[in-house]
């Protein structure tokens, strides 16, 4: 895909995110784009831990949409139940459970639940912390500027 198409798609995803943030009512639409939703009523999050592993489960109801943060690291995610469509600046793909994929860093995703779905991310957690705020700072960036800053610091 050309850089121009990719850039246009990134702008569309960001515009979509901004438009739904403007409509957030705390009931049908949640979030401000300035935080990670860890206590969402629309897509509840469950946190679990194993030795040096952080497991983050999101339960999505049919018809719900999540605009994700930008992951900083390569990680694995599993779709345990359901059917989702994931759009990025490079592609749109359908996933039907059970399945998994390796997720590349630096990508903002829009996830649509075509059915009730259980989506699980598996992240490294070398410090074994159970502090969700610290984990989120280590794992994701809220915007591309923050992600680029992280990349430049860790070259």
């Amino acid at each position: 895909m050309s850089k121009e198409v990719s850039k246009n798609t990134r702008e569309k995803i960001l515009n979509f995110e901004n438009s739904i943030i403007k409509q957030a009512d705390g009931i049908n639409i949640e979030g401000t784009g300035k935080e990670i939703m860890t206590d969402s009523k629309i897509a509840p999050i469950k946190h679990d831990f194993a030795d040096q592993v952080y497991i983050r489960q999101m339960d999505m109801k049919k018809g719900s949409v999540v605009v994700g943060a930008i992951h900083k690291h390569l990680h694995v995610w599993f779709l345990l139940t359901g059917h989702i469509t994931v759009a990025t600046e490079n592609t749109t793909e359908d996933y039907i459970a059970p399945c998994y994929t390796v997720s590349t860093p630096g990508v903002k995703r829009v996830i649509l639940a075509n059915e009730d779905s259980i989506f699980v991310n598996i992240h490294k957690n070398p410090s074994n912390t159970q502090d969700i705020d610290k984990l989120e700072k280590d794992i994701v960036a809220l915007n591309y500027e923050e992600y680029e800053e992280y990349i430049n610091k860790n070259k």
Side-chain angles (χ1 to χ4, degrees), residues 70-72 105-106 141 143-151:
I70 302 161
H71 290 92
K72 295 177 180 176
N143 54 56
Y144 285 104
E145 294 78 19
E146 186 180 319
Y147 178 73
E148 291 299 324
E149 183 179 304
Y150 166 78
I151 292 300

Side-chain angles (χ1 to χ4, degrees), residues 56-106:
R56 183 181 179 96
Q57 176 179 315
M58 178 172 57
D59 296 349
M60 297 182 70
K61 295 291 182 197
K62 179 180 179 177
S64 62
V65 176
V66 170
V67 180
I70 302 161
H71 290 92
K72 295 177 180 176
H73 309 281
L74 194 68
H75 70 285
V76 176
W77 64 260
F78 294 85
L79 184 62
L80 301 181
T81 64
H83 172 200
I84 61 173
T85 301
V86 179
T88 69
E89 60 193 71
N90 297 317
T91 187
T92 300
E93 295 185 60
D94 280 313
Y95 296 92
I96 299 172
C99 66
Y100 73 92
T101 190
V102 176
S103 186
T104 55

Side-chain angles (χ1 to χ4, degrees), residues 84-153:
I84 61 173
T85 301
V86 179
T88 69
E89 60 193 71
N90 297 317
T91 187
T92 300
E93 295 185 60
D94 280 313
Y95 296 92
I96 299 172
C99 66
Y100 73 92
T101 190
V102 176
S103 186
T104 55
V107 178
K108 183 173 273 294
R109 293 168 180 81
V110 178
I111 305 167
L112 166 66
N114 300 301
E115 299 174 358
D116 287 356
S117 301
I118 298 175
F119 185 91
V120 178
N121 282 294
I122 309 294
H123 295 283
K124 64 183 179 178
N125 181 8
S127 68
N128 276 326
T129 185
Q130 293 190 14
D131 180 333
I132 302 302
D133 290 336
K134 180 177 180 346
L135 281 164
E136 288 171 348
K137 284 182 178 84
D138 292 343
I139 292 170
V140 298
L142 292 174
N143 54 56
Y144 285 104
E145 294 78 19
E146 186 180 319
Y147 178 73
E148 291 299 324
E149 183 179 304
Y150 166 78
I151 292 300
N152 290 333
K153 270 190 202 176

